[in-house]
Amino acid sequence: MNIKEEMDRLTEELKVYQDKYYKEGISLVSDNEYDRLTDRLIALEQEHPEFQHPDSPTKRVGSDLTNDFPEVRHTIPVLSLDKAYSDEAVLDFFSRSIQKEGGSLSFAAEEKIDGISMVLYYENGILTRAVTRGNGEVGNDVTANIMTIGAVPLSLPENLDIAVRGEVYLNKADFERLNEAEPDEAKKAANPRNLAAGTVRRQKSSEAGRVPLTIFCYEGFWSNKEETPSDHLHILSRLKRLGFRINPHLAFFDSDKEKAERKIAAAGLDGEAYAFSEIDEFIKKKTAERKGLPYEIDGLVFKINELDVRERFGYTEHHPRWAIAYKFEAPQAEAKLKGITVQVGRTGRITPVAEISPTKLGGSTIRRATLHNQEYIEELELAIGDTVSISKRGDVIPAVENVIEKNNEGNTTYHLPPDCPCCHTPIVQIGGLQYCPNYDCPDQVKGRIAYFASTDQMDIETLGPKTVELLYNAGILRSIEDIYNADYTRASDLPGIGEKSIKLLLKGIKESLERPFVTVLSSLGVADIGKKSAEILVKNGFDSMAKILNAVDRNDKEAFASIPGFGELTAERIISSFSSQSLRKTIEELEKAGIHMDVAKDAKEESKEQIFSGEVWCITGSFKNFNPRTKALKEIEKRGGRTVSSVTSKTTHLLAGEGGGSKRAEAERLGVKIVTEDEFMKAIGTEEAKEEGEDGQLFLF
Ligand code: IVH
């Protein structure tokens, strides 16, 4: 047997095994034997690509070559569906259609699968292309990835030229399992559709092949019109016989139930028969079933059965006039995508942001929504001018969820510009995300300073993003270390910054010198070192900057990698970040300014300050210097005091601000010491108290 013969034999044999497995769930050989035969065929195909069959079973395994998803033009109209949100609207669609036709009609009803729209093109019975919907005219060629889906026939039992539309999706259980196994929080998908969309666009088809995607096919377009069946039911049964996976949950509507039953049976299909009048029952039943289905559906699709009528009704720019989608839920909010702006974060991460028409959502008006990254835009095939649905994820950040209607301006999928919009350095790709690699990029620098000063970090109250922007532009603040070295007198001329705010700023800066080392560590904005990992580092012996830098300078990857939850990659990133000359200079300067670079220093200061030890404090009223007033509680706790929410006989002090009624009265009744804000300020020894209100009355605790 020569090579070609062996390859032909292996191809045939593996095809039989795959067919049996994917269509009937039956394994004719052991996994080992199957793998051995597959590996042999892969090896032979690599050596002799000229003998590889276009529908080779090895395509199911995928390859490690990089996919680039070229844009290709559709040869059929790939449109979306008109929408209805009530059973009346569906019934109205039925009656309008019947009236327009002036004769009897029947309708197929299918589940609207919440997945990725796909068109499979077959030439001479061989799958030649699988193309995403795109803008309806031009989509992306994702064939290599789609070929890994067992339910997609690589070849047909007849030499047909046909285009088949279907929905690629992932079962809920598979989604849960895969998402749980994903270690990287940022890579977790929001829902099965997102994960399926990401998989369809994986660069390596071998990786796509590891995700158990599947497909339901629901429309067929024969290039030879004579072969086209006369109605939808026969399209479905024909597709089924050709080996396509058809959703078994089919329903069919006619003027009476028996007629509907007869038509389903005539096409050799299984399905539920309904009379038009039963539409509300049907929708109720499906709504109830929805949760129990193994896959996500977001509605029901009603389609005119008769193909000649479909042809007469035709299409609008957006949708066929012969079908309607009933949606279970109206989108939270719909908006038009007016444009996309590009933000540069403190780490250089480039984030595209959707500029949308003002839209009310959850009590506020939204004008912008996150688009995460380029990959997300591609998954949605999002273009300027599209109508999109917006939601608030976790009730905070508005995000673009899906495309509801494609634009009719011919815009295709948006692409990020090649250069950083701030400093014009070419953007680089790291793990599917886009970054500006320029450490001195003004947006990054401003972001780093604002992050360092933010409430959760060094908590320099008056140094918010707006002030940072002003001071940066004036050339006063150009790095984190500048915060402690800058000449702020120059800032008094700036709009919106006066003597008073400079004074407050200086006070905030001085106070920030007391932050513990662990906070300093997470405030530097080093990749992979957030609050949690800074704590872990400190707990694992890296309790001073000197120790960290020492390990970095020894290039001691293991020292970091061996910390639970860190690993090789994090270790590498820590070493690379702390090797940067700019960061080293920042650290040096901060240390000179008196910032804690050692937990030993934290401890020294703590012990100096335990002036409220053994005392029990309650708080009432509002304060000039503590807003929110929980800040005052923190000051008490830092100095060893205990805080309580009501005045009792155990309470030793009541810190009383403006206002405050019943607690003050109770304190007076119980003889609890009442402390004013000024007195408190003096006791904790802040600048302002020393400068002001020197009335000679020193408060003693
Ligand atoms: S029929 C011209 N049937 O829903 C025919 N679409 O919002 C139009 N979809 O782009 C499509 N399940 O991706 C049809 N049973 C079904 C469907 C279905 C899901 C998707 C499809 C379409 C989108 C429209």
Side-chain angles (χ1 to χ4, degrees):
M1 189 165 50
N2 65 27
I3 298 277
K4 184 172 182 312
E5 280 166 0
E6 185 184 356
M7 285 173 75
D8 289 349
R9 278 257 298 265
L10 278 168
T11 301
E12 273 320 302
E13 193 177 345
L14 282 165
K15 261 195 205 171
V16 171
Y17 297 155
Q18 282 188 355
D19 265 13
K20 214 55 192 172
Y21 181 74
Y22 289 123
K23 291 190 186 146
E24 296 166 51
I26 297 169
S27 301
L28 293 178
V29 280
S30 71
D31 287 0
N32 271 345
E33 177 64 359
Y34 180 82
D35 290 346
R36 192 184 66 77
L37 297 172
T38 308
D39 289 347
R40 173 77 184 145
L41 183 55
I42 290 173
L44 290 173
E45 285 177 347
Q46 259 161 12
E47 261 171 61
H48 298 278
E50 69 278 17
F51 298 144
Q52 181 180 31
H53 292 232
D55 59 341
S56 165
T58 61
K59 301 266 169 104
R60 299 280 193 222
V61 186
S63 87
D64 286 341
L65 299 176
T66 307
N67 284 315
D68 57 355
F69 314 127
E71 283 190 342
V72 289
R73 197 157 279 280
H74 285 289
T75 55
I76 57 162
V78 187
L79 299 178
S80 173
L81 290 166
D82 200 10
K83 284 159 195 81
Y85 296 100
S86 65
D87 47 62
E88 287 91 1
V90 177
L91 201 57
D92 186 53
F93 165 71
F94 284 176
S95 48
R96 264 186 297 120
S97 304
I98 292 168
Q99 214 164 29
K100 187 156 132 191
E101 178 57 16
S104 59
L105 288 180
S106 51
F107 298 84
E110 294 166 359
E111 290 168 338
K112 186 171 183 300
I113 309 294
D114 194 8
I116 313 304
S117 203
M118 196 61 56
V119 188
L120 309 173
Y121 290 99
Y122 291 81
E123 283 170 34
N124 271 321
I126 302 284
L127 175 64
T128 51
R129 256 174 195 173
V131 185
T132 62
R133 180 168 74 182
N135 68 352
E137 287 167 25
V138 176
N140 286 107
D141 183 333
V142 290
T143 316
N145 286 345
I146 296 304
M147 281 180 151
T148 67
I149 302 176
V152 170
L154 301 181
S155 55
L156 306 177
E158 297 170 43
N159 291 346
L160 284 178
D161 288 351
I162 186 178
V164 174
R165 277 196 73 172
E167 202 79 356
V168 169
Y169 70 92
L170 188 60
N171 275 321
K172 293 182 208 169
D174 290 321
F175 162 74
E176 297 293 345
R177 181 172 53 79
L178 291 168
N179 231 23
E180 250 161 51
E182 172 59 64
D184 187 343
E185 217 31 62
K187 282 195 186 151
K188 284 193 196 286
N191 51 47
R193 170 168 46 80
N194 284 154
L195 185 48
T199 307
V200 162
R201 290 177 180 276
R202 273 293 122 76
Q203 298 249 299
K204 292 178 181 172
S205 52
S206 56
E207 282 173 18
R210 273 177 230 131
V211 179
L213 295 177
T214 184
I215 193 170
F216 276 138
C217 294
Y218 46 72
E219 292 290 337
F221 303 81
W222 277 256
S223 55
N224 180 356
K225 289 273 172 285
E226 274 147 41
E227 291 180 47
T228 308
S230 62
D231 65 24
H232 188 67
L233 290 176
H234 283 89
I235 290 185
L236 292 181
S237 72
R238 191 79 214 286
L239 289 179
K240 199 171 164 188
R241 267 183 289 128
L242 287 170
F244 292 96
R245 190 160 175 264
I246 307 297
N247 188 341
H249 300 159
L250 173 72
F252 197 71
F253 283 79
D254 211 322
S255 52
D256 68 65
K257 205 172 167 147
E258 286 69 39
K259 249 196 205 163
E261 254 163 21
R262 277 201 300 277
K263 286 189 187 167
I264 300 171
L269 291 170
D270 289 323
E272 292 174 6
Y274 290 93
F276 295 141
S277 55
E278 293 172 311
I279 185 79
D280 59 331
E281 263 165 61
F282 172 68
I283 288 179
K284 275 202 196 93
K285 176 172 179 279
K286 292 306 290 187
T287 308
E289 275 173 16
R290 181 184 178 196
K291 249 193 130 158
L293 290 172
Y295 43 82
E296 299 271 12
I297 64 173
D298 57 348
L300 303 164
V301 187
F302 295 89
K303 307 170 172 180
I304 293 181
N305 186 39
E306 294 76 16
L307 253 51
D308 53 337
V309 180
R310 286 189 182 186
E311 217 150 275
R312 278 198 289 283
F313 279 25
Y315 297 85
T316 73
E317 237 167 324
H318 285 304
H319 54 258
R321 290 200 183 85
W322 43 261
I324 198 162
Y326 167 84
K327 300 270 284 187
F328 291 122
E329 287 123 21
Q332 285 195 353
E334 255 181 62
K336 185 145 172 135
L337 181 67
K338 294 197 299 188
I340 292 175
T341 47
V342 180
Q343 286 181 346
V344 189
R346 63 182 170 87
T347 59
R349 169 94 181 266
I350 305 271
T351 313
V353 177
E355 305 288 340
I356 54 171
S357 51
T359 303
K360 281 220 155 34
L361 177 60
S364 56
T365 300
I366 289 159
R367 293 185 172 78
R368 318 184 79 201
T370 181
L371 287 166
H372 309 293
N373 52 50
Q374 180 64 40
E375 200 176 326
Y376 191 74
I377 294 176
E378 277 164 27
E379 284 169 11
L380 295 178
E381 305 203 296
L382 186 64
I384 311 281
D386 289 357
T387 304
V388 294
S389 61
I390 311 283
S391 76
K392 276 193 182 175
R393 288 210 183 155
D395 267 352
V396 205
I397 309 165
V400 172
E401 286 296 335
N402 210 349
V403 174
I404 297 180
E405 210 77 80
K406 291 305 294 178
N407 70 90
N408 47 21
E409 294 125 59
N411 293 339
T412 50
T413 307
Y414 173 86
H415 280 281
L416 280 171
D419 299 333
C420 169
C422 175
C423 69
H424 309 293
T425 307
I427 290 173
V428 296
Q429 291 274 345
I430 305 174
L433 300 177
Q434 293 76 40
Y435 288 89
C436 163
N438 174 15
Y439 190 80
D440 299 321
C441 170
D443 278 356
Q444 289 190 46
V445 177
K446 285 183 264 183
R448 276 201 299 273
I449 299 174
Y451 177 73
F452 183 86
S454 64
T455 322
D456 266 1
Q457 301 297 331
M458 299 296 275
D459 194 14
I460 308 176
E461 206 177 329
T462 41
L463 198 53
K466 285 216 177 88
T467 312
V468 170
E469 172 93 29
L470 268 173
L471 295 173
Y472 180 94
N473 291 344
I476 296 169
L477 212 51
R478 286 290 164 100
S479 64
I480 290 176
E481 58 270 32
D482 280 356
I483 298 177
Y484 300 93
N485 304 329
D487 174 8
Y488 292 101
T489 53
R490 288 168 53 207
S492 54
D493 308 333
L494 296 175
I497 297 194
E499 294 282 328
K500 179 124 205 264
S501 37
I502 294 181
K503 214 164 135 191
L504 277 172
L505 180 61
L506 289 171
K507 177 172 158 263
I509 291 173
K510 175 131 197 285
E511 280 170 10
S512 75
L513 291 172
E514 293 162 21
R515 306 286 176 254
F517 171 63
V518 67
T519 305
V520 175
L521 191 54
S522 68
S523 302
L524 293 172
V526 170
D528 285 9
I529 305 193
K531 271 203 132 53
K532 190 106 214 117
S533 38
E535 268 169 35
I536 297 176
L537 264 175
V538 169
K539 270 199 201 122
N540 282 273
F542 288 104
D543 55 4
S544 74
M545 192 58 85
K547 287 188 191 161
I548 294 176
L549 296 184
N550 192 295
V552 168
D553 290 343
R554 278 185 283 119
N555 199 15
D556 190 350
K557 234 195 272 174
E558 196 41 39
F560 297 113
S562 60
I563 296 174
F566 272 42
E568 287 284 310
L569 208 66
T570 302
E572 268 167 35
R573 279 207 277 250
I574 290 176
I575 290 181
S576 131
S577 301
F578 279 105
S579 303
S580 134
Q581 286 307 310
S582 315
L583 183 62
R584 294 297 270 258
K585 179 162 170 277
T586 301
I587 292 170
E588 237 169 69
E589 296 284 320
L590 290 178
E591 187 156 23
K592 272 191 216 152
I595 294 273
H596 295 197
M597 290 295 172
D598 196 323
V599 289
K601 185 157 176 173
D602 302 348
K604 242 189 256 163
E605 301 222 345
E606 291 270 299
S607 62
K608 252 199 325 217
E609 281 180 353
Q610 301 297 298
I611 52 174
F612 298 150
S613 157
E615 296 174 356
V616 181
W617 285 70
C618 186
I619 185 170
T620 184
S622 60
F623 298 86
K624 282 199 302 275
N625 295 294
F626 306 106
N627 189 15
R629 66 183 200 186
T630 45
K631 287 201 170 161
L633 296 178
K634 268 198 208 153
E635 296 297 329
I636 295 166
E637 284 162 6
K638 266 204 300 206
R639 290 166 176 79
R642 205 153 68 78
T643 58
V644 290
S645 58
S646 56
V647 176
T648 65
S649 58
K650 295 214 175 80
T651 313
T652 59
H653 294 78
L654 177 71
L655 175 57
E658 290 280 309
S662 61
K663 280 187 193 164
R664 180 184 273 271
E666 186 64 7
E668 276 166 5
R669 198 179 68 79
L670 292 168
V672 170
K673 181 114 215 154
I674 297 175
V675 181
T676 66
E677 182 168 4
D678 275 353
E679 289 166 341
F680 184 71
M681 296 299 280
K682 270 190 224 161
I684 62 176
T686 68
E687 275 301 294
E688 201 168 77
K690 274 180 205 146
E691 279 170 25
E692 295 169 352
E694 288 286 2
D695 55 6
Q697 260 198 354
L698 204 68
F699 186 77
L700 295 171
F701 290 90

